[in-house]
Amino acid sequence: MARVYNFGAGPAMLPEVVLQQAQEELLDWQGSGMSIVEISHRSKKFMALVDETTNLLRELLAIPNQYKIIFLAAPCRSQFAMIPLNCIGNKTQADYLDTGLWSHQAIKEAKRYTNVNIVSSSENNGYTTIAKPETWKCDPTSAYLYYCANETVNGLALHEIPDAGTIPLACDMTSCFLAQPVDITRFGIVFAGAQKNIAPAGMTIVIVREDLIGHANAITPTTDNYQVNAAENSLYYTPNSFSIYMANLNFKWLQREGGLSAMQQCNQTKAKLLYEYIDNSGFYHNPVDPNYRSIMNVPFTLADQSLDESFLAEASRAGLAELKGHRTVGGMRASLYNAMPKAGVEALITFMQKFAKAHT
Ligand SMILES: *Cc1c(COP(=O)(O)O)cnc(C)c1O
């Protein structure tokens, strides 16, 4: 059976060598005579794996020591509640930037716990551009400013880190995490769900500055308290051991490939190829303002929507899988995470050219 190019937004493609290593080690992990999914999370070997994985991530992103790295066995969107529940403290409001489906969901959830000040919203332009930061209505009395760096569904990305002034910046980096170097010191909290660019689903990584830990309010569940999870080194409850292990293998792969600068170069090349083709095709269309286009998730529509089904069916037969766009946006979406080789993007473009020719 041949492996396909998987353009799915998440769960997403992982490097083949990472999957192969996991396969080879599945029955006997590091001479333990046990699988990684069977071994105790309190064993020395496993605790060493958590430490090593933490250190690998610290190196890849140059994360300073005053930031804690927490591996949660939780969905990414658990942070939509956990951030207000851990960080509102004695404040009564938080600032949010509304740039697409995921930040919109985060706002909805945060409203259950705090007042929300929307500093700027792209809802009126269909989430295709973002207003200049000078026009945002930030409030220095807010507990933090929250935004999503890469809107996975809308293909809209904020390439510059916003200036939050004196308040901490909280960022959902799920779908662009480890796709390029990032200055972590600009943030109070960064989080990412594993299933986009890290590991299998079922784990969320939180990078949180020490001074933001320890302000949970009385109703914050213990499992959702940053302080508890940080103090227990992500082992307060039974973690998602398989995801931590896969993240470990993936981080080592990233290192071997030359780290995040090398990833960035490769990711920019892939995205440029696809956007240039779409823009010049006269058949496909991407609606996003070029200044805010995602390099990870590329939504596009066909000239004739009635061709969508045959596009997907023929693409699938050509070994190009999971190209269907999100139900709220329609059309297609190609996700180009780290594990997608340039050859996959070239194969997609070749297919798109043939398909356009056959239908014009
Ligand atoms: C996928 C995604 C989520 C939601 O992930 P779940 O694990 O399903 O909760 C949140 N934010 C962004 C940016 C995403 O890409």
Side-chain angles (χ1 to χ4, degrees), residues 75-77 80 102 148 150 152 172 174-175 195-196:
C76 174
R77 73 194 82 183
F80 298 175
W102 288 120
C148 176
N150 185 78
T152 321
D172 179 353
T174 296
S175 49
Q195 72 272 30
K196 308 291 160 70

Side-chain angles (χ1 to χ4, degrees), residues 187-252:
F187 298 91
I189 297 179
V190 167
F191 67 94
Q195 72 272 30
K196 308 291 160 70
N197 211 10
I198 308 171
M203 176 172 78
T204 294
I205 297 180
V206 182
I207 302 166
V208 51
R209 210 174 57 209
E210 263 165 359
D211 61 287
L212 298 174
I213 295 177
H215 307 290
N217 64 35
I219 61 158
T220 307
T222 311
T223 51
D224 290 357
N225 190 321
Y226 290 146
Q227 188 172 33
V228 173
N229 287 289
E232 300 284 335
N233 201 20
S234 303
L235 296 171
Y236 166 63
Y237 56 74
T238 316
N240 184 335
S241 32
F242 189 63
S243 277
I244 293 174
Y245 161 75
M246 291 295 284
N248 180 285
L249 300 188
N250 197 15
F251 295 166
K252 286 176 181 160

